[in-house]
Amino acid sequence: MSKSLTVVGLVIAFVMGFAGANALQDKEGGHDKASWPPAPLEDDFLDKWVGTWEWEGTMTMDPKAGPMPYKATETFKWALNHQFLVSNYESPMGPNMPTYEGMAIARSTPGSKDYQHWWFDIGGDGEKSEGKRDGNTVVYTAPPKSGKHEGTISTITLNEDGTGHHVYKMIPEGQTEWMTFFDVKGKKK
């Protein structure tokens, strides 16, 4: 009888081991194979930004001096299995100065009008902001001290004619009043 119990125990252990191994094969790296990687993000608003854009408008570095002309180029592309829209941004800063460079990463939350945006530039700081989409406009806000400012509001609109409009307002560090840092209009090359 003990031999029968041993055989039955071995069979049960084998079946449980086989089932466990099968379950581990269905999951790789802790992710269910059926949902890993997730399907590419579908977002008609972000899709329309893909390509290279030329921006032109004004920038205000010093409110006392007022706005000055501003130009920039920005290239958008999907990355990481179409999960994030990545942009590379360049703008001349003036004689004997480096080119201003920045990089943004954006994505929407599937099934909602919520967006996330991360900004990094040659200044070494990053900023994370949360956005809400209303039609062809997303308004991103960053709380105080999320970057080097006391708060930011970035309003990005994709117009019906395919052009864009971006207004970036901030409260400079140590200040209490909002100022329009730049107001630019853009079009794809």
Side-chain angles (χ1 to χ4, degrees):
M1 177 121 155
S2 67
K3 190 175 184 179
S4 295
L5 284 174
T6 302
V7 170
V8 168
L10 287 171
V11 168
I12 290 173
F14 176 76
V15 168
M16 291 181 74
F18 182 75
N22 192 32
L24 286 174
Q25 286 179 354
D26 285 345
K27 288 196 171 212
E28 193 172 292
H31 300 285
D32 183 353
K33 279 186 178 178
S35 65
W36 185 257
L41 182 65
E42 293 183 25
D43 187 296
D44 61 329
F45 180 78
L46 294 178
D47 279 338
K48 292 174 184 171
W49 291 100
V50 173
T52 299
W53 287 72
E54 293 180 340
W55 296 99
E56 196 170 328
T58 59
M59 172 185 271
T60 304
M61 296 289 286
D62 177 3
K64 293 176 186 170
M68 61 184 185
Y70 183 77
K71 288 185 179 186
T73 301
E74 188 169 19
T75 301
F76 294 87
K77 68 179 183 174
W78 282 104
L80 303 174
N81 190 41
H82 210 272
Q83 296 297 317
F84 297 92
L85 187 67
V86 177
S87 77
N88 289 297
Y89 189 92
E90 291 187 352
S91 176
M93 290 191 352
N96 303 318
M97 296 190 74
T99 297
Y100 176 79
E101 295 176 87
M103 182 174 103
I105 302 170
R107 87 180 308 272
S108 60
T109 302
S112 76
K113 294 183 181 282
D114 297 331
Y115 285 73
Q116 300 83 44
H117 188 269
W118 296 265
W119 175 258
F120 308 93
D121 63 27
I122 64 172
D125 287 328
E127 178 180 273
K128 181 177 188 243
S129 55
E130 300 289 329
K132 204 52 128 172
R133 181 176 170 191
D134 183 11
N136 287 333
T137 298
V138 175
V139 177
Y140 291 101
T141 57
K145 300 300 183 191
S146 62
K148 48 190 159 196
H149 310 298
E150 302 291 340
T152 64
I153 299 173
S154 187
T155 304
I156 302 170
T157 302
L158 183 62
N159 299 312
E160 293 296 324
D161 65 359
T163 61
H165 187 200
H166 187 179
V167 177
Y168 184 84
K169 294 182 179 187
M170 68 175 184
I171 300 175
E173 191 171 16
Q175 303 292 315
T176 57
E177 299 293 319
W178 287 96
M179 68 173 257
T180 300
F181 184 65
F182 68 77
D183 184 343
V184 295
K185 295 183 179 176
K187 61 182 177 179
K188 276 190 191 181
K189 279 186 168 184

